[in-house]
Amino acid sequence: MLKVYNTLSRSKEEFVPLVENQVRMYVCGPTVYDYPHIGNARSFAVFDTIRRYLEYKGYRVFYVTNFTDIDDKMINRANEEGISVQELASKYIAEYLVIARQLNLKPATVNPRATEHIDDIIDMVQRIIEKGYGYVVDGDVYFDVSEWKSYGVLAKLASEDLEAGARVDIDERKQDPRDLALWKAEKPGEPSWDSPWGKGRPGWHAECSVMGKYYLGLPFDIHGGGQDLTFPHHENEIAQSASAYDVETPVKYWLHNGFLTIDSEKMSKSEGNFFTAREVLDNYEHQAVRLYLISGQYRQPLDYNAKAINQAIQSLERIRNAVDTIRGRILILERSGGRVAEADKKLKEAIDKLQEGFEKEMDDDFNTPGALAEVFTFIKASNTLTPKVGNTAVLREALAVLSEFLMILGIDLQAEEGGQDAGISSAKLSATIELLLEIREQARKNKDWAMADLIRDRLGEIGIEVADTKDGPTWKVN
RNA sequence: GCCGGUUUGGCGGAGAAGCUUACGCGACAGACUGCAGAUCUGUUUUACCUGGGUGCAAAUCCCAGAGCCGGCUCCA
């Protein structure tokens, strides 16, 4: 039974989707005004793993993650860079997609952009006004928090406490300082759209309400994002969706991932203590970065430092070695023929144990470190048993199960270097041929013509033609 | 002020009453080995913030306290 921690109830709940066998899930994507940092990457990786596990469990998952491509930050940055907001968005969306691929994120079902849904946003704002929860001042539209009695359900913030908050905007035009902007009137030089209240643009939280409803319908099952979005973003989203569309609980399960810290301090753009995902991915192997990002339980803080990444690199190496051991054993058995051995049964038992253990851990609010521990327990058993296994079927099963589970965690054994199935770059292929020729030259020096001819003939059969010159051998691919 | 989270061995990090050798990384010793790599075995002698309490039994439950981190309208 799958249990998930729901921010709404502050407790683990049994996961039961609203519609049998399918999960509708929305994860707050990036505001595309800057390079994503490694903390953003954690969020992406965590929800990707959650999504993949749900799919593993047999659910059909509709996974929506948006690009917020219009807001204050977008406008400011576009002005700084001297480009249009649209150009800015394209630039950083492209960057996001590169990082997504490097982190092995499975593409979302849809990646909608806020600016594609301006009409829907206007429609929602209008509904909110009609229901009596919004008011218009000089072309701005505000949400009237004092009218919305359940404001604070998610963040568990009582209204009075909010008023005491340190950073509430002081804006004379708001009836209540807590009120949030649903629609902002046009200012000179800003992108704007026509609306019943004059030219303007959407407020900060409108787009997620609208796109969630548009693509998934209300209510839907899972809404994810970083802990810092709990308030105000998600709180406001609930207020907007619930009031506009008459849905008491727009989202059944709210999932929030913990922060990534640097020296135990929250990493954030406003503090300036951040690494971009780009820097990290350029410096370390992508799969190791992904492994690092899911090496802690998703709700706990995760500290970023070189030691942590190095540990992930070592762990990944151990995983690969184990896989290579299994693949190597398959090669040997294919050459020599299999037989039945005592170890076959034992390895099969270890596979079953892995399956059971992995699911048990992941069923417990996606306990990825626990799940990894199960993988390593299996690897230890496999390393001992594999050299004694006589039957390729069980080895192939081990590979299949291992690959499937690692893929849920975002580690793709088929990708990049490593493994006989991985494909090989032309640089590596060349180096390999050079190596063979080096060996052949050694044989020629020793007048071991049989060996030299064997290498040349066999390469020829593969389609690689070797020719000797007085300065050394050459080769070309036919 | 209000609301959350967190504190586990040299490090990272699970576990939420009894028994987990958790797991990984690191270190040391050994086995295997033409060399290298990989792998295996053992060790790293009672790791659970503090003080109370309830249990036959507490890292785990309760109370109090301390440290650290975060939210309270920029943020994943």
Side-chain angles (χ1 to χ4, degrees):
Chain A
M1 180 176 81
L2 175 61
K3 286 185 157 182
V4 302
Y5 183 91
N6 189 349
T7 306
L8 214 45
S9 65
R10 301 285 150 101
S11 60
K12 283 184 195 171
E13 299 176 14
E14 182 181 354
F15 180 75
V16 183
L18 293 157
V19 177
E20 213 180 338
N21 296 328
Q22 78 173 38
V23 176
R24 287 168 294 151
M25 162 171 196
Y26 187 101
V27 176
C28 284
T31 299
V32 285
Y33 74 108
D34 200 357
Y35 294 105
H37 60 59
I38 186 68
N40 300 110
R42 180 188 192 190
S43 191
F44 306 153
V46 157
F47 287 105
D48 180 67
T49 286
I50 290 174
R51 183 251 190 117
R52 286 173 185 272
Y53 187 64
L54 290 167
E55 287 175 343
Y56 168 80
K57 294 284 276 186
Y59 295 111
R60 184 168 175 211
V61 180
F62 296 86
Y63 188 83
V64 178
T65 181
N66 66 289
F67 294 120
T68 297
D69 58 353
I70 177 68
D71 84 330
D72 293 345
K73 292 192 297 291
M74 293 289 300
I75 292 167
N76 293 339
R77 181 57 67 96
N79 288 339
E80 279 169 32
E81 296 196 13
I83 56 177
S84 72
V85 167
Q86 230 173 357
E87 286 168 329
L88 184 77
S90 306
K91 174 175 165 186
Y92 290 113
I93 286 174
E95 170 71 6
Y96 169 86
L97 293 173
V98 171
I99 281 163
R101 197 170 56 245
Q102 293 179 340
L103 287 173
N104 193 24
L105 305 182
K106 188 168 177 174
T109 314
V110 218
N111 280 123
R113 298 166 62 155
T115 53
E116 293 166 347
H117 289 277
I118 299 293
D119 290 348
D120 303 309
I121 291 171
I122 290 170
D123 177 68
M124 180 184 77
V125 173
Q126 207 148 21
R127 283 164 185 262
I128 291 172
I129 295 170
E130 281 163 17
K131 307 256 158 132
Y133 296 109
Y135 58 92
V136 185
V137 185
D138 301 334
D140 285 343
V141 185
Y142 293 100
F143 187 92
D144 190 346
V145 169
S146 58
E147 277 298 312
W148 187 252
K149 298 306 173 203
S150 64
Y151 194 75
V153 274
L154 182 68
K156 312 285 180 236
L157 292 173
S159 302
E160 313 81 63
D161 300 331
L162 288 177
E163 286 181 275
R167 301 199 304 215
V168 175
D169 269 2
I170 296 164
D171 186 334
E172 294 302 320
R173 295 178 304 173
K174 287 184 180 177
Q175 290 176 7
D176 184 310
R178 298 169 294 147
D179 289 350
L180 51 120
L182 296 169
W183 186 264
K184 297 182 151 193
E186 179 186 31
K187 289 186 197 129
E190 291 183 352
S192 64
W193 290 262
D194 288 322
S195 83
W197 321 285
K199 279 181 168 291
R201 62 186 169 89
W204 305 337
H205 316 291
E207 82 271 7
C208 287
S209 283
V210 164
M211 293 187 284
K213 163 158 191 299
Y214 185 90
Y215 291 100
L216 300 172
L218 296 179
F220 59 86
D221 299 294
I222 295 178
H223 192 124
Q227 233 158 43
D228 48 354
L229 295 182
T230 309
F231 191 89
H233 187 62
H234 291 158
E235 188 68 52
N236 291 350
E237 216 179 303
I238 291 175
Q240 291 168 167
S241 296
S243 60
Y245 304 119
D246 291 318
V247 185
E248 203 179 328
T249 310
V251 175
K252 192 168 179 187
Y253 304 99
W254 286 89
L255 271 52
H256 291 102
N257 67 277
F259 293 122
L260 205 134
T261 59
I262 291 186
D263 301 327
S264 304
E265 297 280 331
K266 179 187 171 186
M267 176 186 300
S268 81
K269 289 193 178 162
S270 50
E271 296 297 321
N273 63 331
F274 65 91
F275 291 93
T276 61
R278 165 93 307 139
E279 291 173 78
V280 177
L281 287 164
D282 283 349
N283 281 317
Y284 300 99
E285 200 196 325
H286 304 158
Q287 305 245 48
V289 174
R290 172 71 188 237
L291 188 64
Y292 156 73
L293 290 173
I294 54 96
S295 66
Q297 208 275 346
Y298 76 93
R299 285 188 290 119
Q300 305 305 332
L302 182 68
D303 203 54
Y304 177 79
N305 54 67
K307 207 170 172 181
I309 298 264
N310 278 327
Q311 206 169 288
I313 291 169
Q314 293 308 318
S315 301
L316 182 62
E317 194 55 29
R318 183 163 167 83
I319 292 169
R320 286 199 176 125
N321 286 335
V323 169
D324 288 345
T325 299
I326 298 173
R327 284 179 172 150
R329 183 66 188 168
I330 291 174
L331 283 181
I332 290 167
L333 290 174
E334 277 174 347
R335 247 181 249 139
S336 64
R339 61 182 193 289
V340 176
E342 177 67 17
D344 301 4
K345 208 174 72 190
K346 288 188 180 162
L347 186 62
K348 174 62 182 153
E349 283 166 11
I351 294 169
D352 292 344
K353 238 171 124 180
L354 167 64
Q355 202 133 24
E356 194 184 321
F358 188 91
E359 289 187 24
K360 179 177 152 273
E361 296 294 346
M362 291 297 281
D363 275 350
D364 181 16
D365 197 28
F366 312 104
N367 188 351
T368 50
L372 261 179
E374 295 294 332
V375 168
F376 283 114
T377 302
F378 171 76
I379 281 174
K380 181 150 190 166
S382 163
N383 282 337
T384 310
L385 293 168
T386 294
K388 299 177 216 149
V389 166
N391 163 3
T392 56
V394 69
L395 293 171
R396 289 183 202 285
E397 186 184 346
L399 277 184
V401 172
L402 209 46
S403 307
E404 182 172 33
F405 288 167
L406 289 168
M407 196 59 154
I408 290 170
L409 301 177
I411 308 301
D412 185 357
L413 293 176
Q414 308 299 318
E416 303 182 25
E417 63 279 285
Q420 288 92 14
D421 303 338
I424 186 162
S425 72
S426 56
K428 283 179 182 167
L429 188 60
S430 303
T432 307
I433 293 166
E434 289 300 326
L435 173 65
L436 281 168
L437 294 183
E438 217 177 295
I439 294 165
R440 180 166 174 273
E441 284 311 289
Q442 198 64 51
R444 292 177 79 211
K445 231 195 235 167
N446 295 338
K447 299 193 191 309
D448 185 354
W449 312 117
M451 175 62 77
D453 290 348
L454 177 69
I455 291 171
R456 185 172 54 195
D457 293 346
R458 293 300 299 273
L459 281 173
E461 284 169 29
I462 296 164
I464 292 157
E465 188 179 307
V466 176
D468 294 308
T469 72
K470 69 175 178 351
D471 298 319
T474 63
W475 63 274
K476 62 177 180 181
V477 180
N478 280 326

